[in-house]
């Protein structure tokens, strides 16, 4: 009999590896929830009970925000709030309030009442549709954040126009990331990566450095080496980009960020916008809004938005002409990993 020496060497290595894995703390965990893959790494403080608690909270958030789940808050809003006020949970009300503040501050660039347009384009499905002018003309009057009435007293929502409905896809993941961060803080976890489908929160400090390295995608090669490597302390980094969700028809690309004014996917100089902030919900809402506004209008609005939310956030614009621009007084160290890109000042 011929003995395969290579195999004999592999067996002890493999079994000691398995032994090591079974003795070590639980591996980082990922699950499909909130319509995306959510990845959590609690490093050396990771315990199964903490991972369980985090994913239970994410499932709970999903059950309130999922517009498809019958009797979820969002389902109730979208089916009944155009007829009478609908009471919702604290979670959904909090997100709606922040969404409304962002709408007001951005002149309606961010508008959760885009739902009828989102449904019409159906970009997230296997059968997307290129909306016609006539279809858009019919639906655009329903896109109107000023007709979303929020009653703080009884946490209810009323939609003033018949047929209005809401989509929280542009902000809910940020809210969820902040909630996971709260659980990390409660258990005094020393460091964690919270990645909810690209909505990132780096929490705590690494063993030998205060800084984390976070990549921002190259819009031309989103599955490849990131375009930018940014060194940040504990903070959330959120990006809205044309490459995230799109479809192609007759050699034209249609992406998922819609103009509340003409109902079409926004066409401007941008490929993506990233916001770096201690609030992931704010970062999430603002990236979507800033994408709609474009670079110049956003730059002009940043001071008043910072003032309103009493927080310093930073912005990175990535443009189609291969330019990267940072907001004023950008505090983080940045490395661009491709040669043919330039930084505008
Ligand atoms: P994000 O990837 O965070 O920029 O969010 C994009 C998602 O937000 C889309 O898939 C829609 O569900 C929703 N959305 C699209 N356009 C807008 C808009 N102008 N304001 C608010 N939400 C939007
Ligand atoms: Mg967003």
């Amino acid at each position: 009999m011929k003995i395969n020496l290579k195999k004999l060497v592999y067996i002890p290595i493999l079994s000691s590896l398995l032994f090591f894995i079974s003795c070590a703390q639980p591996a980082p965990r990922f699950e499909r929830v909130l319509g995306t893959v959510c990845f959590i790494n609690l490093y050396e403080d990771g315990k199964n009970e903490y991972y369980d608690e985090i994913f239970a909270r994410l499932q709970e958030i999903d059950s309130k925000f999922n517009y498809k789940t019958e009797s979820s808050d969002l389902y109730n809003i979208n089916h009944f709030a155009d007829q009478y006020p609908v009471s919702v949970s604290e979670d959904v009300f909090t997100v709606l309030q922040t969404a409304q503040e962002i709408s007001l501050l951005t002149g309606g660039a961010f508008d959760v009442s885009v739902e009828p347009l989102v449904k019409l384009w159906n970009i997230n499905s296997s059968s997307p549709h290129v909306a016609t002018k006539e279809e858009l003309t019919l639906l655009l009057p329903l896109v109107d954040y000023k007709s979303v009435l929020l009653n703080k007293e009884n946490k209810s929502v009323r939609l003033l126009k018949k047929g209005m409905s809401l989509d929280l896809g542009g902000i809910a993941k940020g809210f969820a990331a902040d909630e996971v961060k709260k659980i990390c803080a409660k258990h005094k976890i020393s460091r964690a990566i919270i990645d909810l489908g690209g909505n990132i929160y780096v929490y705590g400090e690494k063993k030998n450095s205060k800084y984390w390295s976070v990549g921002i995608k190259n819009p031309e090669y989103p599955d490849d080496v990131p375009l930018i490597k940014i060194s940040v302390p504990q903070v959330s980094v959120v990006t809205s980009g044309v490459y995230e969700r799109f479809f192609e028809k007759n050699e034209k690309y249609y992406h998922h960020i819609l103009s509340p004014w003409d109902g079409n996917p926004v066409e401007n100089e941008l490929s993506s916008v990233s916001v770096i902030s201690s609030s992931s919900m704010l970062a999430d809402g603002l990236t979507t809004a800033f994408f709609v506004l474009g670079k110049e209008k956003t730059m002009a609005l940043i001071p008043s938005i910072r003032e309103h939310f009493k927080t310093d956030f930073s912005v990175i614009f990535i443009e189609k002409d291969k330019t990267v621009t940072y907001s004023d007084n950008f505090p983080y160290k940045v490395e661009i990993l491709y040669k043919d890109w330039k930084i505008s000042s």
Side-chain angles (χ1 to χ4, degrees):
M1 190 177 80
K2 211 174 152 195
I3 295 175
N4 185 336
L5 272 177
K6 271 191 190 163
K7 267 191 187 158
L8 277 181
V9 177
Y10 283 150
I11 290 165
I13 292 179
L14 201 69
S15 53
S16 56
L17 201 70
L18 285 175
F19 175 76
F20 174 75
I21 289 169
S22 60
C23 288
Q25 79 244 13
R29 202 184 281 184
F30 58 91
E31 272 179 32
R32 233 198 127 73
V33 58
L34 297 169
T36 188
V37 176
C38 296
F39 170 88
I40 309 287
N41 190 351
L42 303 177
Y43 292 91
E44 57 278 355
D45 294 333
K47 286 185 191 167
N48 272 325
E49 61 189 89
Y50 296 162
Y51 284 109
D52 291 346
E53 184 177 341
I54 287 170
F55 280 98
R57 178 70 177 120
L58 292 175
Q59 290 292 355
E60 184 191 28
I61 293 170
D62 188 301
S63 71
K64 295 174 182 174
F65 285 77
N66 194 331
Y67 66 97
K68 288 183 192 157
T69 309
E70 212 165 306
S71 81
S72 75
D73 285 345
L74 210 60
Y75 181 96
N76 288 340
I77 293 172
N78 289 351
H79 286 80
F80 310 114
D82 64 350
Q83 299 148 57
Y84 51 83
V86 167
S87 294
V88 296
S89 61
E90 181 92 37
D91 287 347
V92 168
F93 199 79
T94 302
V95 173
L96 285 172
Q97 273 184 311
T98 307
Q100 200 156 58
E101 285 176 59
I102 296 175
S103 298
L104 279 164
L105 290 161
T106 59
F110 186 77
D111 190 333
V112 292
S113 67
V114 291
E115 204 278 340
L117 301 176
V118 174
K119 201 163 27 181
L120 173 66
W121 283 93
N122 214 2
I123 289 174
N124 295 335
S125 77
S126 53
S127 52
H129 164 73
V130 179
T132 64
K133 252 197 164 133
E134 294 70 35
E135 288 169 327
L136 293 174
T137 310
L138 220 60
L139 293 182
L140 277 169
L142 298 177
V143 181
D144 177 15
Y145 69 95
K146 289 181 184 147
S147 295
V148 180
L149 294 195
L150 302 179
N151 184 334
K152 277 188 205 164
E153 304 304 314
N154 56 9
K155 305 232 162 6
S156 71
V157 186
R158 174 84 167 93
L159 305 175
L160 292 183
K161 297 180 187 171
K162 185 102 191 96
M164 274 184 91
S165 50
L166 309 183
D167 177 318
L168 297 178
I171 189 167
K173 277 188 283 171
F175 168 78
D178 288 335
E179 291 303 296
V180 175
K181 185 202 147 195
K182 282 187 200 164
I183 297 175
C184 292
K186 183 175 85 181
H187 294 300
K188 299 193 170 48
I189 291 194
S190 52
R191 57 184 180 132
I193 289 181
I194 302 158
D195 179 351
L196 310 185
N199 212 111
I200 311 245
Y201 213 120
V202 283
Y203 177 80
E205 291 189 8
K206 290 172 87 177
K207 269 205 170 128
N208 41 18
S209 160
K210 198 177 152 198
Y211 291 93
W212 297 83
S213 187
V214 177
I216 295 177
K217 288 183 177 183
N218 183 337
E220 292 178 0
Y221 310 106
D223 299 324
D224 221 314
V225 177
L227 173 64
I228 295 174
K229 221 169 74 183
I230 170 167
S231 287
V232 287
Q234 174 177 306
V235 83
S236 179
V237 182
V238 182
T239 301
S240 284
V242 288
Y243 49 82
E244 282 166 17
R245 287 175 197 167
F246 62 89
F247 70 98
E248 192 197 339
K249 188 141 193 201
N250 300 331
E251 290 172 24
K252 199 168 155 36
Y253 285 90
Y254 300 91
H255 64 82
H256 68 311
I257 304 169
L258 303 175
S259 160
W261 303 302
D262 67 20
N264 289 304
V266 172
E267 284 291 338
N268 57 23
E269 74 289 355
L270 297 174
S271 293
S272 76
V273 185
S274 302
V275 171
I276 303 148
S277 163
S278 57
S279 161
S280 198
M281 170 162 57
L282 193 58
D284 193 0
L286 289 179
T287 51
T288 311
F290 292 168
F291 192 96
V292 175
L293 287 171
K295 185 172 84 173
E296 295 309 319
K297 284 188 185 147
T298 297
M299 285 291 206
L301 279 180
I302 288 173
S304 58
I305 300 177
R306 281 184 182 148
E307 168 113 24
H308 175 91
F309 288 107
K310 299 197 177 10
T311 181
D312 256 340
F313 58 83
S314 301
V315 188
I316 302 177
F317 303 91
I318 296 180
E319 294 176 53
K320 287 175 185 153
D321 71 353
K322 296 195 172 195
T323 309
V324 177
T325 310
Y326 311 119
S327 53
D328 291 347
N329 305 320
F330 194 80
Y332 308 110
K333 202 177 121 208
V334 173
E335 209 183 317
I336 298 198
L337 304 179
Y338 288 75
K339 280 206 181 94
D340 49 343
W341 285 73
K342 53 190 183 294
I343 297 175
S344 107
S345 49

